[in-house]
């Protein structure tokens, strides 16, 4: 049984200790090279000293048009070949080496990287534990002078030759702040860097070769596709290597990011911060909504599709599944055409670039970069395999303006592989718009449901699927499945008025004007409060002064009373004396 890893938590696997196991998988080390014969000699010397069995190792060196041509040195692994790729570019050289490789595992290696003698073994012990892993070692960048190849091959510890050196700081930081890539599986694919990374060959065949249209960022883009194909990414600290000199990224990070981001934004939907534009579309959409059109009316399909396209998530593509091969040239009596609704649907969306058509209900079309492979397929092709999410939605059920975004937030934040949305339930469910009866999570009652599927989860599930096992159960084991209520997430069984961009713009302007008015009113009230506080201060001051005056008057009154009382007493005494 294939090992099942939840998310990217590879810690459930226990690879054997170095030197204590018997390997069986073959590894092909692919080394693209352009010039720098001296550094290539050292890289091959490091490979010649590996502890992984030589009969299970092949090395493919790809000369990417060097002048003078590269040669194989005497000190190299026994099974080493040199091929030539005359098309310039690292991606072309990688792909040429990949085509020539025959191993069960592909180990990428830059021609200026020297591996520790245990590095390949450290990688391969993981690949024996599960067939869908991507393993990356730890690179250090050394400014040291270049020793002789014989010295490298004989060294038990390369640190004595190449330290002091700098770590791959970005990679180390990524691993540390994600608890070894287990705490944030959405970014784990960033670990795929070409300096010293190994990939299961079957997994690589599913994901596809390097994208030769990219100028930079090919490693990251391939890592993303590997993730979509079900990969788990493993950082291996026991695999150590030294890069001879600083990397281009270390020297020029800002301009490299500028160039790389301009291209990978089109291909990696997970990099949401690169897709800040509120309306444009991208080569690989963030979500594909599949609507089954066969047997549904034009009005039902239009209500669903229009609502999807008008939502708060513009990064979306719609696939209409139906028997489009039945739709031919229109005859003389279009109103009597039994397929009139199909004609209307196709005609209405024929020129909408975000809508594609397919005759396969379970698949998606091959138009505009979308492949015919559904999630879980073992033979995907084209950029559509990189679409991270797919929502299967019955025609006639209308999502709210923010419904798709909310469902995607739930799936992404909680890591679910499948979010099933209950739209209708009961004996009349099949009669609802676009409804088809089902068992509804084992309830025995007919249901209408939408399904938000994460491509990576279904790809992983297809790899670990047991005989006779339901694919959804395997998804539940590896990523998790949840049911939610459709009404709670804004689904309705009828069309609703769409806001539209102009309406949304006006509403935003009105809201901004109202905010400005309320802000001014708040400022006025704050000023009034300040005045009241000043007035209250003056009143308090006046009160204190009045209290002081009252106190003084009381003292004077008391003194006067004493005087009056004393004078009155004196008068009485004098009167008594006179009478005597």
């Amino acid at each position: 049984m294939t090992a099942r890893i939840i998310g990217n938590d590879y810690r459930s696997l226990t690879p054997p200790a170095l030197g204590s196991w018997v390997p069986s998988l073959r590894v092909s080390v692919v080394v693209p090279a352009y010039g720098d014969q001296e550094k290539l000699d050292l890289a091959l010397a490091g490979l010649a000293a590996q502890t992984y069995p030589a009969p299970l190792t092949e090395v493919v060196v790809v000369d990417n048009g060097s002048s003078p041509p590269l040669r194989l040195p005497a000190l190299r692994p026994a099974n080493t070949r040199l091929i030539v790729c005359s098309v310039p570019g690292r991606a072309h050289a990688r792909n040429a080496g990949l085509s020539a490789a025959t191993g069960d595992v592909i180990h990428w290696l830059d021609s200026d990287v020297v591996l520790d003698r245990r590095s390949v073994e450290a990688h391969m012990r993981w690949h024996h534990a599960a067939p869908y892993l991507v393993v990356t070692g730890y690179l250090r960048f050394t400014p040291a002078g270049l020793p002789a190849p014989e010295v490298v091959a004989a060294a038990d510890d390369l640190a004595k030759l190449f330290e002091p050196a700098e770590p791959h700081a970005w990679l180390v930081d990524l691993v540390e702040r994600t608890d070894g890539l287990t705490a944030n599986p959405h970014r784990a694919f960033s670990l795929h860097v070409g300096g010293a990374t190994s990939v299961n060959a079957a997994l690589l065949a599913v994901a596809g070769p390097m994208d030769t249209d990219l100028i930079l960022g090919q490693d990251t883009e391939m890592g993303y596709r590997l993730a979509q194909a079900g990969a788990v990414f493993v950082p291996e600290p026991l695999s150590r290597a030294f890069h001879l000199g600083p990397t281009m990224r270390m020297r020029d990070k800002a301009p490299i990011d500028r160039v790389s981001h301009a291209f990978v934004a089109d291909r990696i939907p997970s990099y949401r911060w690169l897709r800040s534009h509120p309306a444009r579309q991208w080569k690989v959409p963030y979500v594909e909504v599949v609507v089954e059109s066969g047997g549904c009316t034009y009005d039902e399909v239009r209500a669903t599709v229009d609502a999807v396209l008008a939502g708060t998530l513009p990064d979306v593509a719609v696939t209409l599944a139906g028997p489009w091969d039945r739709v031919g040239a229109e005859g003389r009596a279009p109103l009597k055409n039994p397929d009139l609704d199909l004609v209307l649907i196709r005609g209405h969306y024929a020129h909408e670039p975000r809508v594609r058509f397919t005759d396969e209900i379970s698949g998606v079309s091959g138009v505009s970069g979308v492949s015919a492979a559904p999630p879980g397929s073992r033979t995907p092709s084209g950029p559509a395999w990189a679409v991270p999410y797919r929502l299967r939605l019955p025609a006639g059920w209308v999502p709210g303006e923010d419904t798709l975004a909310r469902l995607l937030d739930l799936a992404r934040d909680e890591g679910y592989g499948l979010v099933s949305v209950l739209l209708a339930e009961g004996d009349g469910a099949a009669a609802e718009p676009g409804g088809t009866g089902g068992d509804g999570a084992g309830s025995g009652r007919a249901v209408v449901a939408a399904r938000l599927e994460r491509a990576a989860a279904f790809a992983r599930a297809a790899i670990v699927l047991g005989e006779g096992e339901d694919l959804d159960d395997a998804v539940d084991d590896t990523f998790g499945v949840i049911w939610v209520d459709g009404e709670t997430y804004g689904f309705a069984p009828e069309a609703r008025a769409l806001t539209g961009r102009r309406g949304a713009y006006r509403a935003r302007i009105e809201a901004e004007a109202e905010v400005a008015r309320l802000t001014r009113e708040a400022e006025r009230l704050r000023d009034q409060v300040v005045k009241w506080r000043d007035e209250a201060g003056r009143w308090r001051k006046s009160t204190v002064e009045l209290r002081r005056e009252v106190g003084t008057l009381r003292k004077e009154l008391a003194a006067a009373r004493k005087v009056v009382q004393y004078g009155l007493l004196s008068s009485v005494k004098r009167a008594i004396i006179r009478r005597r």
Side-chain angles (χ1 to χ4, degrees):
M1 180 178 177
T2 304
R4 298 191 175 191
I5 298 172
I6 299 175
N8 201 70
D9 196 355
Y10 53 87
R11 296 173 299 186
S12 60
L13 301 179
T14 305
L18 295 179
S20 65
W21 61 297
V22 179
S24 59
L25 297 178
R26 297 181 67 253
V27 58
S28 296
V29 183
V30 176
V31 187
Y34 178 71
D36 266 333
Q37 178 72 56
E38 191 175 7
K39 290 183 178 179
L40 174 63
D41 292 349
L42 296 183
L44 292 175
L47 287 172
Q50 292 297 304
T51 58
Y52 198 73
L56 296 177
T57 305
E58 73 168 355
V59 178
V60 181
V61 178
V62 184
D63 185 349
N64 196 206
S66 305
S67 181
L70 295 173
R71 54 171 177 76
L72 292 181
L75 183 52
R76 64 178 188 268
N79 189 12
T80 301
R81 288 177 287 151
L82 175 64
I83 65 174
V84 175
C85 174
S86 58
V87 182
R90 185 163 170 261
H92 288 287
R94 285 273 196 87
N95 289 343
L98 178 61
S99 297
T102 62
D104 303 299
V105 173
I106 305 299
H107 191 306
W108 306 119
L109 184 66
D110 285 350
S111 61
D112 52 2
V113 171
V114 181
L115 295 180
D116 175 88
R117 64 191 302 120
R118 290 164 286 271
S119 182
V120 172
E121 182 186 354
H123 278 246
M124 293 301 294
R125 66 196 187 115
W126 285 100
H127 291 292
H128 283 73
Y132 50 93
L133 303 184
V134 177
V135 183
T136 294
Y138 280 63
L139 286 177
R140 293 179 67 80
F141 300 90
T142 175
L146 303 183
E150 294 77 13
V151 175
V152 168
D156 185 61
D157 185 0
L158 293 180
K160 297 176 182 178
L161 302 178
F162 297 120
E163 291 289 356
E166 295 183 43
H168 194 161
W170 176 86
L171 188 147
V172 171
D173 176 67
L174 174 66
V175 172
E176 289 181 350
R177 59 189 164 86
T178 58
D179 193 17
L181 301 181
T182 63
N184 186 5
H186 300 286
R187 287 296 307 277
F189 67 85
S190 300
L191 186 75
H192 183 264
V193 293
T197 295
S198 60
V199 185
N200 181 279
L203 188 71
L204 196 51
V206 171
M210 283 274 173
D211 188 337
T212 55
D213 290 336
L214 286 173
I215 298 175
L216 294 172
Q218 301 99 328
D219 288 330
T220 303
E221 191 274 338
M222 174 176 271
Y224 174 76
R225 281 186 282 118
L226 286 166
Q228 296 308 106
V232 169
F233 297 82
V234 181
E236 176 49 89
L238 295 180
S239 171
R240 295 187 290 268
F242 285 89
H243 188 284
L244 304 177
T247 65
M248 183 171 61
R249 184 178 180 85
M250 292 174 69
R251 295 191 299 266
D252 302 300
K253 181 180 184 304
I256 287 174
D257 283 345
R258 178 173 178 266
V259 174
S260 176
H261 290 172
F263 286 85
V264 299
D266 233 349
R267 294 161 170 82
I268 304 180
S270 295
Y271 285 172
R272 305 306 296 157
W273 68 91
L274 295 180
R275 297 188 172 191
S276 58
H277 194 282
R280 68 156 289 185
Q281 283 80 56
W282 307 87
K283 180 178 182 180
V284 181
Y286 190 48
V287 61
E288 178 191 24
V289 180
V290 179
V291 180
E292 183 179 340
S293 305
C296 300
T297 68
Y298 161 69
D299 304 279
E300 290 172 343
V301 173
R302 181 175 177 180
T304 299
V305 175
D306 285 357
V308 168
L309 297 180
T312 58
L313 184 77
D315 196 359
V316 62
V318 176
T319 295
L320 295 178
W324 304 113
D325 56 340
R326 291 186 355 214
V327 181
E330 194 48 63
R332 296 180 180 179
L335 297 183
K336 295 182 179 180
N337 186 342
D339 294 321
L340 178 60
D341 283 289
L342 291 175
V343 172
L344 296 178
I345 293 167
R346 194 170 74 169
H348 188 72
Y349 293 109
H351 304 291
E352 165 55 61
R354 286 187 289 172
V355 176
R356 302 91 187 255
F357 299 85
T358 177
D359 293 331
E360 295 293 333
I361 291 177
S362 62
V364 281
S365 80
V367 180
S368 301
V370 177
S371 78
S377 169
R378 293 178 182 271
T379 57
S381 61
W385 185 240
V387 178
Y389 293 99
R390 178 170 297 158
L391 175 66
R392 299 184 182 273
L393 180 60
W397 285 94
V398 181
E401 191 173 9
D402 200 42
T403 295
L404 264 67
R406 292 174 59 200
L407 285 174
L408 288 163
D409 286 344
L410 172 65
R412 186 187 187 282
D413 294 345
E414 301 300 328
Y416 290 116
L418 171 62
V419 178
S420 291
V421 184
L422 180 62
L423 301 176
E425 182 179 17
D427 296 337
E432 296 289 344
T436 55
D439 62 4
S443 66
R445 304 182 67 188
V447 302
V448 178
R451 291 165 57 92
L452 179 64
E453 302 169 346
R454 182 177 175 185
F458 277 79
R460 177 89 57 80
I463 294 172
V464 303
L465 191 66
E467 185 177 355
E469 182 181 14
D470 186 81
L471 190 61
D472 286 2
D473 291 338
V475 171
D476 194 14
D477 274 355
T478 51
F479 283 83
V481 174
I482 188 174
W483 277 84
V484 298
D485 175 60
E487 185 177 358
T488 301
Y489 276 84
F491 284 98
E494 57 188 11
R496 64 186 81 187
L498 302 178
T499 303
R501 291 185 182 176
R502 190 73 185 273
Y505 171 76
R506 288 175 173 172
R508 190 180 80 246
I509 295 300
E510 291 174 1
E512 290 174 352
E514 181 65 10
V515 169
R517 185 189 70 78
L518 293 175
T519 300
R520 291 193 298 271
E521 179 67 12
E523 290 292 340
R524 186 187 68 78
L525 292 175
R526 277 195 290 267
D527 292 342
Q528 191 66 38
V529 168
V530 171
K531 292 179 181 178
W532 289 342
R533 285 175 177 170
D534 292 342
E535 186 67 22
R538 288 193 293 272
W539 290 343
R540 284 195 296 270
K541 185 177 180 181
S542 298
T543 301
V544 172
E545 292 176 352
L546 287 173
R547 285 178 178 175
R548 287 176 180 172
E549 292 179 3
V550 169
T552 301
L553 290 174
R554 284 176 176 172
K555 291 179 181 179
E556 292 177 352
L557 180 60
R561 285 176 177 172
K562 288 181 180 180
V563 170
V564 169
Q565 290 175 355
Y566 180 76
L568 180 60
L569 181 60
S570 298
S571 298
V572 171
K573 286 182 178 180
R574 286 195 296 271
I576 293 173
I577 292 172
R578 282 197 296 270
R579 288 181 180 181
R580 288 180 180 177

